Amino acid sequence: MALLFLLWILLIVAIPCSLLLLLLSFLVRPRPVKIPIKGRHVFISGGSSGIGLSLARLAAAEGARVSILARSPDKLQEARQSIRLATGVDVAVFSADVRDAEAVRRTLDEAGPVDVLICNHGVFVARELDLYDVEGLKFTIDVNLTGTFNLIKAALPGMKNRGQRGPGSIALMSSQAGQVGIYGHTAYSASKFGLRGLGEALQQEVIVDDIHVSLIFPPNTETPGFAEEIKTRSEITSIIAASSGTMKADEVAMLTLNGIKSGTFFVTCNFDGIMLALGTASLSPQRSFLVAFFEVVGAGLMRLVALYYQWSWYKTIEKWHSQKNSK
Ligand SMILES: NC(=O)C1=CN([C@@H]2O[C@H](COP(=O)(O)OP(=O)(O)OC[C@H]3O[C@@H](n4cnc5c(N)ncnc54)[C@H](OP(=O)(O)O)[C@@H]3O)[C@@H](O)[C@H]2O)C=CC1
Ligand SMILES: CCCCCCCCCCCCCCCC(=O)[C@@H](N)CO
């Protein structure tokens, strides 16, 4: 009897799964790639603080030639000093506002050809849309989205003419708020969702140049920017964003760099991020047939988990408003 049961399991589970794995190992595109960091030019925007500073320190420690860009010259010098103290490596610093396309172009010309571009800069002021002024909405989109276009546009010619310097990478620092809309983050989520469309389209355009795109999706991360954000954001934003916990900048940086090195398109940072990636896979590229397997077999369950989170969030919103109205 037990033997029959085992045979039955083999027939209806193991064989279809094996066939699916075989099919996916043929289908997944683009093909897997490894991106070296040692001896390569890694250019990091927003590299003077938070996740970007951790990334710069990590890349320098791994033997990369590192350039960091940000607006404040003082913060850049402090960052340069802290990286030198931590790694003994002297990084190049460039002061420019990513919204200024001409300044970004001049910066990338001066920095020289880039092998790994990490578009990490970002601003995030959480506020309900009707309390946001138009300038504030425009500022968020201009920095987070248009600024990223400016960086890629300026870096791409040099990246395409790398010669025999191996595969290149363009990494876009998104957020879990770029996978699901978050209360109080209308402009921010719009800007981060925009990075996904940019990344998916760009990967199709630059695969021929052996350039590989990664999108990074951190949860709340302990950084100076986050410290500012939590001072003013709504309680609802805090409750919803807390669904995925809070990570350290060094942890996110290590996962980011590992994701870039392994050519991963969706780089997740925690278990909630893995569920989010499975739940939002849609038509995104996938290089790993194993991850593709879980995307295929897990899609239905992830939708159920997502509906639970939506139920929980709308319950929170309803409760918050009823408490506010009862005061
Ligand atoms: N912290 C978090 O909870 C999370 C952050 N992220 C994302 O990670 C990235 C880094 O965030 P985090 O480390 O927290 O941010 P920080 O505020 O700590 O650092 C932001 C960096 O970006 C630079 N920057 C900001 N605006 C511009 C601009 N217009 N031009 C050039 N550089 C600019 C800042 O330097 P300067 O001000 O001198 O220009 C600074 O170096 C962002 O894209 C953010 O959206 C994603 C998920 C969670
Ligand atoms: C399919 C099932 C999904 C289950 C998991 C859902 C959890 C989502 C939580 C979203 C948290 C968003 C944090 C944004 C952090 C951020 O970017 C701001 N701090 C500004 O930087």
Side-chain angles (χ1 to χ4, degrees), residues 48-49 51 71-72 97-98 120-121 174 188 192 219 221 223 225:
S48 66
S49 170
I51 297 170
R71 289 167 299 180
S72 158
D97 188 320
V98 292
N120 163 78
H121 66 279
S174 182
Y188 182 70
K192 293 302 188 179
T221 309
T223 68

Side-chain angles (χ1 to χ4, degrees), residues 44-123:
I44 304 166
S45 67
S48 66
S49 170
I51 297 170
L53 176 54
S54 294
L55 273 168
R57 205 178 291 127
L58 214 49
E62 291 202 15
R65 176 165 73 86
V66 177
S67 298
I68 59 175
L69 172 147
R71 289 167 299 180
S72 158
D74 294 346
K75 278 168 59 177
L76 282 163
Q77 287 309 327
E78 281 167 31
R80 182 181 200 172
Q81 184 64 8
S82 91
I83 294 166
R84 190 189 292 126
L85 285 174
T87 66
V89 174
D90 200 16
V91 303
V93 297
F94 299 92
S95 171
D97 188 320
V98 292
R99 293 174 294 170
D100 181 344
E102 194 41 39
V104 170
R105 192 191 58 73
R106 281 197 305 274
T107 296
L108 270 295
D109 286 350
E110 193 184 335
V114 172
D115 297 305
V116 177
L117 174 68
I118 306 180
C119 303
N120 163 78
H121 66 279
V123 290

Side-chain angles (χ1 to χ4, degrees), residues 124 175-176 182 188 220 226 229 241 244 275 302 305-306 309:
F124 34 98
S175 157
Q176 289 183 356
I182 301 291
Y188 182 70
N220 281 332
F226 181 60
E229 179 200 1
S244 186
M275 290 200 292
M302 282 306 109
V305 175
Y309 272 88

Side-chain angles (χ1 to χ4, degrees), residues 3 18 20 23 46 63 70 105 108 126-127 145 151 154 182 189 225 233 245 258 260 271 288 320 323 326-327:
L3 191 61
S18 310
L20 177 59
L23 171 67
R105 192 191 58 73
L108 270 295
R127 190 176 301 137
L145 187 55
L151 277 168
I182 301 291
S189 276
R233 72 182 186 182
N258 288 343
I260 290 169
F271 180 67
S288 157
W320 188 82
Q323 280 172 351
S326 63
K327 282 176 187 170

Side-chain angles (χ1 to χ4, degrees), residues 8 62 64 77 95-96 112 120 129 156 179 198 239 312:
W8 181 67
E62 291 202 15
Q77 287 309 327
S95 171
N120 163 78
L129 177 54
L156 214 40
Q179 295 175 291
L198 163 54
I239 294 168
S312 162

Side-chain angles (χ1 to χ4, degrees), residues 12 30 41 48 56 75 90 96 113 165 172 183 226 287-288 305 311:
I12 68 151
H41 183 195
S48 66
K75 278 168 59 177
D90 200 16
R165 296 210 322 272
L172 310 179
Y183 182 102
F226 181 60
R287 298 171 190 266
S288 157
V305 175
W311 169 81

